[in-house]
Amino acid sequence: MLNYREIEDLHQLNSFYKLPVVIERGEGFYVYDIEGKKYLDFMCGYGVALLGHNHEVIKNAIIEQINKIITCHSSLYLDVRAEFLELLFSVLPSELSRCFLTNSGSEAIELAIKLVRKKGKKKIISMENSYHGKTFGALSLTGKKKYRESFEPLLQYVEFAKYNNIEDLMEKIDEETGAIIVEPIQGESGVIIPDEEYLRTIRDICDEKGIILVLDEIQTGLGRTGRLFCFEYSKVIPDILCIGKGLAGGLPVGCVITREEFNLLKTGEHTSTFSANPLVCAVAKNVLKFIVDNQLWENAKIMGEEFLKGLRNLDNKGIKEIRGKGLMVAIEFKIDVKNTLNRLMKNGLICCYTAPNTLRFLPPLNIRIEQIKEAIEKIANGTY
Ligand SMILES: Cc1ncc(COP(=O)(O)O)c(C=O)c1O
């Protein structure tokens, strides 16, 4: 008889880099495998479990909504959808007034591309080493050769500029440039934090040249970096904002948020069966309310600083660099980290593999100092 791992390996298309553990359940900051072993979870579904696992707020929202209605197409109005939208736009700058809910971050990027096309100018400048997802359009904007090369030709009219390099960006801009898409911090690349003025400068360039600024805050958004949105640090407001990950407490979601002028789609031009479905809206409303009511970004900022301080005190010759903002933290090692990742897991700490040399940590926003200390201790013992 095959075990769980063997069944997954047999039937799933090979694609994910898998850790050799079978998870059964999660509670708070921890997940448990089928043998009952406990792991501190600093992977959190790659940044999805913003409130930790099985939080009461999420469970209650799901149960309450299940008892009312589970599916309701966006061609009908829905009470909880309107409630979520009202809350979402109450926490966003007033310049942003429209949105479309998708089923993933990649799908949010797809729609952002379509909205740019609607405006007229086709060319989009993205950044080298960026990550915007793996559906065809999103992959076309993802600046990593290893993800792209088997699938070319991808979308035309895409060019890549060096991240955190305004001079190179300026060289790539021409008359045909319709949009610039950028992550405020590059996540999948290993938490690459640009200069303080970088986003502000891009915003100024976009304003001067009539270029659309698309911010991909799918990873940085919703409190992760110590502010509700990372763009708040630079005091910029994007034209199009993409978010996703933990917005719906672990249910599949993405969201494209725009200024009023992007309300350009003709009826039927962009629809999706599950867009803004009742369960997603109910959970998103409650997750967002919990984040805002508890100002969880403040905890992310404080705990992030504690985590960075602890990591920087480690005496480890194998570490090349430690980077982070809020609870988006990375350790870059001098060598491949696959063994380290597995060793940490065996020691009871799960984190994100960020190939090839970097470990990334995306703990819940409500993490406590005890768990930060526990993680540092496990990293101290498990890395060398
Ligand atoms: C910055 C960024 N953009 C887009 C995506 C794609 O989102 P999804 O995996 O939900 O399609 C991700 C996912 O990690 C991301 O970090």
Side-chain angles (χ1 to χ4, degrees):
M1 214 171 83
L2 298 178
N3 65 33
Y4 290 120
R5 277 172 57 194
E6 287 163 343
I7 295 170
E8 281 203 27
D9 288 342
L10 182 68
H11 291 301
Q12 282 199 311
L13 286 174
N14 176 51
S15 187
F16 288 90
Y17 176 71
K18 290 216 183 229
L19 287 172
V21 59
V22 183
I23 300 298
E24 187 181 54
R25 65 187 183 91
E27 198 181 318
F29 308 123
Y30 297 90
V31 291
Y32 297 80
D33 71 14
I34 47 171
E35 267 117 42
K37 184 174 166 179
K38 182 177 177 183
Y39 303 82
L40 180 60
D41 185 11
F42 272 32
M43 175 198 273
C44 287
Y46 274 74
V48 167
L50 296 176
L51 313 185
H53 293 281
N54 288 17
H55 196 282
E56 287 297 313
V57 161
I58 296 169
K59 285 197 290 193
N60 291 340
I62 291 176
I63 292 165
E64 198 182 309
Q65 190 57 46
I66 278 175
N67 285 323
K68 289 186 187 163
I69 190 164
I70 298 172
T71 187
C72 173
H73 196 258
S74 284
S75 53
L76 300 173
Y77 291 93
L78 176 74
D79 56 356
V80 75
R81 189 184 297 135
E83 286 164 13
F84 164 65
L85 292 175
E86 203 167 37
L87 176 64
L88 177 67
F89 286 101
S90 75
V91 301
L92 282 163
S94 59
E95 287 83 350
L96 300 170
S97 56
R98 296 272 171 181
C99 79
F100 188 102
L101 279 152
T102 62
N103 309 301
S104 68
S106 300
E107 281 178 62
I109 300 293
E110 296 294 329
L111 177 54
I113 296 169
K114 286 174 81 172
L115 291 174
V116 170
R117 284 282 174 103
K118 269 276 177 187
K119 276 279 188 183
K121 288 188 180 175
K122 290 192 183 68
K123 179 169 146 180
I124 300 179
I125 300 178
S126 184
M127 302 302 154
E128 287 178 11
N129 294 317
S130 60
Y131 188 82
H132 299 292
K134 291 188 183 126
T135 52
F136 244 75
L139 183 61
S140 303
L141 301 184
T142 291
K144 286 181 188 244
K145 188 168 168 239
K146 64 174 179 176
Y147 296 143
R148 303 165 55 89
E149 59 190 355
S150 302
F151 307 104
E152 285 171 340
L154 295 165
L155 267 191
Q156 290 177 295
Y157 307 106
V158 177
E159 250 191 272
F160 292 94
K162 290 188 172 64
Y163 192 61
N164 197 24
N165 187 327
I166 294 294
E167 211 178 301
D168 193 50
L169 177 65
M170 289 300 285
E171 274 174 29
K172 305 281 156 54
I173 294 174
D174 59 23
E175 282 303 303
E176 270 310 299
T177 304
I180 295 171
I181 181 164
V182 61
E183 297 159 85
I185 294 172
Q186 285 190 333
E188 296 294 319
S189 262
V191 187
I192 309 297
I193 304 169
D195 296 339
E196 230 174 272
E197 334 72 65
Y198 182 58
L199 268 194
R200 178 74 256 164
T201 311
I202 296 183
R203 177 71 271 181
D204 291 345
I205 293 167
C206 287
D207 287 343
E208 195 192 306
K209 298 186 179 289
I211 295 170
I212 298 161
L213 174 60
V214 184
L215 280 192
D216 181 344
E217 289 236 30
I218 289 166
Q219 194 161 144
T220 53
L222 299 172
R224 171 66 55 202
T225 69
R227 294 280 175 92
L228 184 56
F229 297 101
C230 197
F231 65 69
E232 293 170 30
Y233 282 110
S234 322
K235 299 190 170 56
V236 306
I237 297 169
D239 300 306
I240 300 178
L241 171 69
C242 295
I243 59 172
K245 293 278 187 195
L247 175 63
L251 299 180
V253 75
C255 189
V256 187
I257 297 163
T258 76
R259 292 179 189 248
E260 192 60 31
E261 65 187 270
F262 289 87
N263 189 24
L264 295 168
L265 296 167
K266 290 190 202 125
T267 302
E269 259 186 342
H270 193 83
T271 61
S272 170
T273 302
F274 295 116
S275 169
N277 79 79
L279 278 186
V280 161
C281 290
V283 181
K285 181 185 90 173
N286 284 282
V287 166
L288 190 58
K289 185 170 180 334
F290 190 85
I291 292 174
V292 173
D293 285 352
N294 294 284
Q295 303 196 350
L296 281 189
W297 54 88
E298 291 293 343
N299 190 60
K301 191 166 189 292
I302 295 163
M303 289 302 123
E305 279 161 12
E306 290 292 331
F307 194 25
L308 281 174
K309 201 164 72 188
L311 292 178
R312 288 189 172 127
N313 281 338
L314 293 177
D315 180 24
N316 185 324
K317 304 271 178 300
I319 293 178
K320 192 171 160 204
E321 197 178 31
I322 290 162
R323 299 181 287 269
K325 199 165 184 107
L327 287 170
M328 190 167 171
V329 173
I331 308 178
E332 185 176 340
F333 289 85
K334 290 175 187 156
I335 50 159
D336 188 290
V337 290
K338 278 205 191 89
N339 287 339
T340 309
L341 185 76
N342 279 283
R343 208 163 41 236
L344 286 176
M345 193 209 77
K346 285 200 182 95
N347 290 351
L349 175 67
I350 295 185
C351 54
C352 306
Y353 176 57
T354 305
N357 289 357
T358 305
L359 293 180
R360 193 160 28 120
F361 306 90
L362 299 168
L365 304 181
N366 52 351
I367 199 82
R368 302 210 184 97
I369 191 67
E370 297 82 47
Q371 280 75 32
I372 293 288
K373 284 185 178 157
E374 187 183 336
I376 290 165
E377 202 183 302
K378 287 187 192 300
I379 294 165
N381 295 332
T383 59
Y384 35 81

